[in-house]
Each structure stands twice: as C-alpha cells, then as structure tokens.
Amino acid sequence: MNLSKTGKLFIITALLIAVNTSVLASDKWVKITSKNFRLVGNADEKDIRRVALKLEQFRHAFTEVYDKMRFDSPVPTTVIVFKDEKSFRDFKPVENGMRKDWVAGFFQPGQDINYLALSLNAEDERSYEIIFHEYTHFLIDNTLGRSKIPTWLSEGLANYYERLEIKGDNRVELGNKSLSHLNLVQKTELIPFEDFLKVNYSLLDQQNEEEIKLFYAQSWAMIHYLIHGNSGARKAQLTHFLDLLMNGKKSVEAFRTAFQTDYQKIENELRNYINQKSFHTSVVKLKNKLEFDREMFSTKMSAAESTAYLGDLLFRMNRVDEAERFLEKAVLLDSESGFANVSLGLVKMKKRDFAGARKFLEKAISAEPSNYSAHFNYALVLSREEMSESGLVSAYTAERAEKMRRSLRKAISLNPAFSESYNLFAFVSVVRNEEIDEALAMIEKVLLLAPGNQFYILRMSELYLLKEDFEKSRELAKDIFENAADDKIRDFAQKTLEKIESYKAQIERTQQINEANPYLIKTGKTLTATQLEELDKRIEIDSINRNLRKLKEGEKRVIGQITKIECAANGVIYSVNSENRELKFINKSFNGIVFFTYRIELKGGAIGCETDLKSYHSIITYKPHKEETDSKGEIIAVEFVPEYFVFSETKNN
C-alpha cells in the first residue's frame, strides 16, 4: 500500500497521540489541593506535594514583601505536574508547527482557568525560574494591570523575583544575580533613560531580539539597584512608587514624587552600580513559617478526569484537534463528567459546531447543576453562535439575550468571584444597547476583583461610550492601546477608539440636523391632498440635501441600495446596486463608518454581517482606491434616504 507524505504524517501523528494517551492513562494520577492551588499529575504524591509547597512558599513570601498586592484572582489556577520529560514532551507549547522542546515549564493564562505546567524530570532552578517569572507577572497584572505599571517595572520585578530562593521554613533570599543580564549591561551601552522609561509593550514588540534582551537586562538591573543599591537607600522609595501607581498616579508623576530626583541622577547611580565588583543579596525573615503541608488534601484521579485535564490544557494552548481527541475519550470514559463535557463543548464551539457545543454544555448542566462553569460557558456558546468568524456580531434577539442573562445570573449566584460572567453580561448589554447602568455596575465590581484586567477596562470604555461620555471612554481605551499586553488587546483597543470617533460623529451630525432652522412655507392657496403630499416630499428632499454630510477632499458618493454585506477574511465586503451597476466596496471592519438615517426605520436597529438592506435607498460616501482594483474603495459614510430622494444639485460621483 502506497501512502503520500501527508498520509504518512497523519498516521504517525495519530499513533503518537494514541500511544501517549494510552501511556498516560496507565499512570496513577493524583490531585493535591493546597491553600491557593490545585495540582494534578502523574508524579508521585510526595513530589507533587513538594511542588505545591514551593509554589505556596513563593506566593506567601511575595505577599509579605508586597503586602498591598492583590493575590486573590477571580480566575483559578491549576498546576499540572508531569513525572518526567517523556510524559511532558507532547504537552509543551508549539509555535509555527514546532514544539518548544527547551521549555522546562510554562504558564498558560486563560479566560476562565490558568495553567502552570512543569516536568519533575527537568526540575532545576531554571524550571522554577520560568514559573516564578510568569507567576510574578500574573500577580502584578492582577493588581495593577499592564496599562498602569511601566513595562520596565513589570519586567524588572519578574526577572528579579524569578530568582527568589527559599531558605528553611521562614526565610527567603532575594537579589540573586543573573549573570547573563549582568554581563549584557556591563558590556553594552545602556538604553538612554528618557527612552528606557517610556518603553511600553507596543514599542517593545517592534524591537529586534538583541534590543529586547538589553531592555530585560536593564530592567532587572534597575530593580536590583533600587532594592539593594546604597545599602537599600531607595528600597522604601520603590515601595512608595508602587503605592502611587496602585492609587492611580501616572508613571512620570509617581516616579518624581517617590524618588525625589530626576532621571539623570538615577541613571548615573545605576551606571555606577552596574560597574561595581560585588552584588549583595538580602535574606528576609518572614513573619510566619512557610508550612503548608497540613493545608493540603489529596485524592486519586480517574482516567477520565486526568484525560480531561490534559485535553483542556491542549485546548487552552489552541491545539484544538488534539484536545478534541483527549476530551472525546474522557467523555467516553465518564459521560457524567461536568468538566470534560464543558471543555468538549468549548472545543466544538471553537470549531463552530454550535449544535454539538450546546449538547455537551446542556449535558454538563444536567450532570452537575451547581457547576458555575457549565452555566457560564453555555451563555458563551449562545453568544458566539451569532458571531462571525472574525468576531463581529450585529445583534442578539431579545429572546437569546434573555437566555444568556439567565445563565449568567445563575453562574454568578453559584460563584460571585468568577469575573467572566459579569464581563459577558456587559457584552450582551453593549450589543443590545440596553441595561447599560447595570452592566457598568457589574464591570466596576469585577475591576475590584481584577483591577488590572485590560479586557474589562475596555468593556468599561464601551459602556461609557454608550452613555455618550466620550472623554472617559477615550481615556480608558487610549491608555490600554499604549500599554497593551498583547496584539489581541491592542487590536481591541484600536477598534474601540475608532468606534468612539464614529459614534461621536453620528451624535454631532444628529445635533446639527436638529439645530437646523425649520422649513417654512407661505402660500395663499388651499392645496389638495395630493399637492400637500408632493410638497411634503419636496420639503423633505430639500431638507435632506441641506443636511447631507459634506464631502471631504478625495471623497466621492453614489446613491443606490446595499444588496449584500459579507464578512470575509480580507474585511467587510459591501455590494451596492447604483443605477443598474454592481459596485463593490471593502472595509477592514464596521468601525469607522458613519451610519445615519433620515426618517427611515431600520429593522433591528443594528447593522452587521448578512444584514438585509436591499429595500433601503442610501447615499454611500467612499474614498476611492488610488490603484484600479475590484473594489471601488472604502466606505466612509452611509446615509439612508427615502426612495424618492434626488440630489437637488449636481453631485461629484
């Protein structure tokens, strides 16, 4: 039998998955619940307890050093402990089709669950450094968020605390030096302080590898100096700096207030500190002993439960097909598993099999009525079913919105600390443009749980926009755009800013029309009903012409009907019938277009993918492409007019 290369690859991959699942299923899995973590793994129970102890010790030490940090996260964290490198290998992160074999451990944040994963076979200081580094970021972001904390401070603290070393049962050593960072800052010209302190994640993403390495090294050196330099003279100032940031002060103002000097003096002190021969560490004696064994509980796990956890981890890593195989096996082993059914439902949702997704979520709710995650994710599936692949949603029916709200209220009653239920509730309100005050109250409550969550802050920006508080809305969105944690958040912030300007333009346009002088008619004749009707039309046509959006330089307009709206990979495609000509226009998204209507009631009130506008006449203002393409250009504005409308003067088409 001959096989193509593709066929061979598929069979080999399938065999690897099957063998790996079989091997893992034969292992004995155990679950350890500590004070702040849930740990699962195929390692020996005593080894998993040791990992739990180390994580609890790190977390506790951090809380005593920075007691004002917010350590209680609304998103639970699960730690998966693999007994050796062999069992860990197939669950390492994959990028561009290549597995990151060098990874000894990683932190995988998620919407409703976070994962820490590591292998005991690779248990060395470096594996824990990675975990401590990412967990430090998590704690900082949960308290302040990347929009409030300077990038150098966030990266500096993460690089500093990843080297925290536990000494005995009540002491930790801080300040262990990084030879790679130290060598780099000693041999390389430092980034000028004015530039260094202004770097945000958006700018950092544009740097090359060497520039990024230098920024990380200089950030570590800066924190090491502020804590240990001059016998710790500036340590209290660093704490004060953090306090000011937590209280909402801007970075520049907080820096000058806390350190009582200018950038140049700090820069000179840092250069001198870097070039010294010895670097000191400090041992901190904690108030309480680092003993957590008594607070740990262990239970044996079934093959179904362990397989479900592995499948869910793969799903959170966006390895959807592999996740589906594991989760289908988990459900086959235990059809009543709420966790497995919820996770498999999310996989089906990701693959846009919404009927399958609802089936598994409904099964999860039936099997475990008190499972808040099942109720939340059922509402999530309902919300995504009306959403395009590019994430656009035009409207929710009142019936669907109420069904989602009912599930979300149930999820909130079962777990008031789970923040995503509030966030999705607010999203429904944004789409429907209703119950805005209730949604805003929910987001404000959620930001008490996770004040640094950038998605929640952008949701608040959307709500303020609907309340027409443009200044507040723009301030929130702009702050996130400049300090976004990743491209997804930055894109969300940019679209929000575009939406603010578009909505503001529509409001201002409405005000201009409302402020226009009324059209007065003087006549000495008694007019017939037909004459009155014709006169009303002429008055309306004239009024619309006077109030039409004025063309800007380079813009053109046509009049016709939008016959089709398609959401495609390259953007939103509008098909327009104008004077028996078929025209096409392409926009990146719905954002930025000013939609306005003159006495025309649009069914549903919202415009999105597949909205039927064939029966409505409209004036389409567009900006032509400079080069000849299939598209006439990009739509700037759409003004809906009566079918009898005509231009009262020659227009530039």
Side-chain angles (χ1 to χ4, degrees):
M1 179 175 67
N2 294 322
L3 290 173
S4 67
K5 290 182 179 180
T6 303
K8 289 178 182 178
L9 179 61
F10 174 79
I11 289 178
I12 290 170
T13 303
L15 286 173
L16 283 173
I17 292 294
V19 169
N20 192 42
T21 306
S22 176
V23 170
L24 288 168
S26 66
D27 290 333
K28 293 181 180 179
W29 279 68
V30 65
K31 180 192 296 182
I32 303 289
T33 304
S34 66
K35 185 177 181 180
N36 297 288
F37 298 94
R38 177 195 296 132
L39 298 93
V40 301
N42 61 347
D44 288 340
E45 181 179 334
K46 67 177 187 304
D47 292 327
I48 298 178
R49 282 179 174 271
R50 188 173 70 253
V51 174
L53 178 62
K54 203 157 190 175
L55 286 170
E56 289 287 4
Q57 288 174 330
F58 175 81
R59 184 183 183 280
H60 181 77
F62 206 94
T63 62
E64 287 209 11
V65 175
Y66 291 109
D67 59 354
K68 293 182 181 179
M69 284 284 184
R70 189 178 300 273
F71 295 93
D72 296 322
S73 168
V75 180
T77 298
T78 294
V79 184
I80 299 184
V81 184
F82 294 94
K83 67 179 181 180
D84 52 33
E85 183 68 11
K86 181 180 178 181
S87 61
F88 182 34
R89 185 181 302 120
D90 289 335
F91 298 92
K92 292 186 176 186
V94 174
E95 186 174 336
N96 298 323
M98 299 294 292
R99 185 175 60 209
K100 295 183 177 180
D101 286 324
W102 53 268
V103 169
F106 64 91
F107 181 79
Q108 180 67 46
Q111 184 183 46
D112 55 348
I113 187 171
N114 300 314
Y115 279 105
L116 282 167
L118 73 158
S119 162
L120 291 183
N121 193 53
E123 186 183 3
D124 54 24
E125 289 308 312
R126 185 57 189 154
S127 66
Y128 276 105
E129 282 179 9
I130 294 169
I131 298 298
F132 290 168
H133 180 104
E134 295 302 332
Y135 193 61
T136 300
H137 273 313
F138 172 70
L139 293 173
I140 293 170
D141 290 351
N142 191 51
T143 302
L144 292 168
R146 296 195 184 187
S147 62
K148 289 186 178 179
I149 187 169
T151 303
W152 68 267
L153 182 59
S154 179
E155 291 301 335
L157 288 171
N159 277 277
Y160 177 85
Y161 281 102
E162 72 179 30
R163 289 167 176 79
L164 178 147
E165 189 173 341
I166 297 163
K167 299 284 188 179
D169 61 1
N170 70 339
R171 293 177 301 130
V172 293
E173 185 175 21
L174 301 173
N176 291 308
K177 65 185 177 183
S178 166
L179 291 177
S180 60
H181 286 340
L182 184 58
N183 289 335
L184 187 57
V185 292
Q186 286 180 334
K187 296 177 181 178
T188 309
E189 183 68 26
L190 293 181
I191 304 168
F193 243 50
E194 285 285 348
D195 298 329
F196 171 69
L197 296 176
K198 291 178 182 177
V199 169
N200 56 37
Y201 282 100
S202 178
L203 292 174
L204 194 61
D205 287 343
Q206 301 171 32
Q207 307 300 309
N208 60 41
E209 185 177 354
E210 293 305 315
E211 290 171 329
I212 292 172
K213 285 182 178 179
L214 177 58
F215 179 81
Y216 285 166
Q218 189 167 330
S219 298
W220 166 81
M222 180 74 165
I223 294 298
H224 202 287
Y225 154 68
L226 291 174
I227 293 176
H228 299 278
N230 299 324
S231 302
R234 293 198 181 274
K235 182 179 177 182
Q237 293 177 334
L238 175 60
T239 302
H240 185 38
F241 181 50
L242 280 167
D243 288 343
L244 292 172
L245 292 173
M246 291 172 70
N247 290 325
K249 291 287 186 182
K250 294 293 183 182
S251 177
V252 174
E253 181 185 354
F255 189 96
R256 289 172 179 162
T257 301
F259 297 110
Q260 293 294 302
T261 188
D262 56 24
Y263 291 160
Q264 189 60 53
K265 181 172 177 56
I266 296 287
E267 182 175 2
N268 292 336
E269 291 178 5
L270 176 61
R271 291 179 188 278
N272 293 333
Y273 184 74
I274 289 170
N275 293 320
Q276 67 181 359
K277 293 182 178 180
S278 62
F279 285 79
H280 298 288
T281 62
S282 61
V283 175
V284 178
K285 186 175 181 180
L286 304 175
K287 300 173 185 176
N288 302 305
K289 289 187 176 182
L290 297 172
E291 295 178 345
F292 298 94
D293 284 338
R294 295 178 183 178
E295 298 174 296
M296 294 185 192
F297 304 94
S298 65
T299 55
K300 292 181 180 179
M301 297 176 66
S302 66
E305 191 177 7
S306 59
T307 305
Y309 270 107
L310 293 171
D312 193 62
L313 173 64
L314 288 168
F315 170 69
R316 307 298 170 166
M317 297 166 71
N318 204 31
R319 294 167 60 179
V320 181
D321 291 334
E322 296 166 272
E324 187 173 32
R325 296 187 188 101
F326 274 85
L327 292 165
E328 285 177 343
K329 179 169 184 179
V331 170
L332 189 64
L333 291 169
D334 181 5
S335 63
E336 298 297 308
S337 168
F339 179 62
N341 276 289
V342 167
S343 190
L344 186 53
L346 292 176
V347 167
K348 298 297 184 184
M349 179 187 74
K350 183 78 172 179
K351 302 183 87 166
R352 300 192 68 78
D353 176 6
F354 295 107
R358 287 197 307 273
K359 182 186 78 172
F360 287 109
L361 267 300
E362 287 165 358
K363 178 64 178 177
I365 292 171
S366 174
E368 298 179 10
S370 61
N371 185 339
Y372 77 91
S373 179
H375 292 282
F376 162 74
N377 283 297
Y378 183 69
L380 183 66
V381 167
L382 292 176
S383 73
R384 296 292 174 84
E385 197 165 357
E386 296 294 321
M387 195 176 286
S388 70
E389 291 189 45
S390 57
L392 297 172
V393 57
S394 58
Y396 291 132
T397 65
E399 180 183 3
R400 181 175 290 268
E402 182 53 36
K403 189 178 290 187
M404 284 188 281
R405 290 191 182 107
R406 190 161 54 244
S407 292
L408 292 169
R409 286 192 173 100
K410 181 65 175 177
I412 291 170
S413 69
L414 291 169
N415 186 359
F418 181 62
S419 57
E420 280 300 309
S421 297
Y422 303 93
N423 181 42
L424 184 54
F425 189 101
F427 177 71
V428 176
S429 294
V430 168
V431 173
R432 293 276 302 171
N433 195 6
E434 62 187 15
E435 302 187 25
I436 302 302
D437 288 335
E438 182 182 2
L440 192 56
M442 284 191 172
I443 290 297
E444 288 173 346
K445 180 177 181 180
V446 144
L447 285 171
L448 293 175
L449 298 171
N453 189 297
Q454 294 184 321
F455 277 112
Y456 300 161
I457 295 170
L458 286 173
R459 186 72 70 225
M460 176 177 277
S461 173
E462 289 183 314
L463 292 167
Y464 274 114
L465 170 61
L466 293 175
K467 289 177 70 68
E468 298 181 20
D469 188 342
F470 300 114
E471 184 176 349
K472 181 67 173 178
S473 179
R474 189 185 294 107
E475 178 187 356
L476 293 169
K478 185 180 179 183
D479 197 23
I480 299 299
F481 178 76
E482 293 174 348
N483 298 281
D486 55 47
D487 290 339
K488 186 176 181 180
I489 295 175
R490 187 174 297 110
D491 184 56
F492 184 9
Q494 181 177 3
K495 288 179 178 178
T496 303
L497 288 168
E498 291 172 357
K499 193 185 300 182
I500 292 167
E501 297 310 312
S502 175
Y503 191 58
K504 187 172 183 289
Q506 292 183 57
I507 296 296
E508 290 173 349
R509 187 85 182 109
T510 302
Q511 290 173 344
Q512 289 173 2
I513 291 174
N514 290 338
E515 292 169 0
N517 292 327
Y519 192 89
L520 300 177
I521 304 170
K522 295 180 180 179
T523 177
K525 295 181 181 180
T526 302
L527 303 177
T528 65
T530 302
Q531 289 173 324
L532 283 171
E533 184 178 347
E534 288 300 318
L535 182 58
D536 285 343
K537 286 182 179 180
R538 290 203 306 270
I539 293 170
E540 184 177 13
I541 289 170
D542 185 60
S543 176
I544 292 174
N545 271 283
R546 287 188 292 108
N547 288 294
L548 282 176
R549 179 184 177 277
K550 299 296 186 290
L551 283 176
K552 297 181 180 179
E553 184 178 353
E555 294 180 352
K556 293 187 177 183
R557 58 162 53 117
V558 295
I559 187 168
Q561 299 85 38
I562 298 175
T563 58
K564 192 174 184 181
I565 301 177
E566 302 173 83
C567 290
N570 60 334
V572 183
I573 303 173
Y574 298 85
S575 299
V576 176
N577 182 7
S578 176
E579 299 178 349
N580 296 320
R581 293 180 300 160
E582 186 70 21
L583 308 176
K584 288 195 180 296
F585 302 89
I586 300 179
N587 285 51
K588 291 181 180 179
S589 69
F590 289 102
N591 295 325
I593 300 179
V594 176
F595 289 96
F596 193 84
T597 179
Y598 298 89
R599 292 184 59 186
I600 302 295
E601 293 186 4
L602 298 177
K603 294 178 181 178
I607 296 174
C609 307
E610 308 301 333
T611 300
D612 186 0
L613 298 173
K614 289 191 291 291
S615 59
Y616 301 106
H617 288 250
S618 56
I619 298 168
I620 293 101
T621 302
Y622 66 97
K623 190 170 185 178
H625 290 308
K626 293 181 179 179
E627 299 178 358
E628 191 70 25
T629 66
D630 293 337
S631 167
K632 288 284 290 183
E634 183 177 0
I635 292 179
I636 304 299
V638 177
E639 296 170 278
F640 294 98
V641 295
E643 61 180 3
Y644 48 80
F645 174 81
V646 291
F647 290 119
S648 60
E649 57 182 275
T650 302
K651 298 294 176 183
N652 183 22
N653 290 337

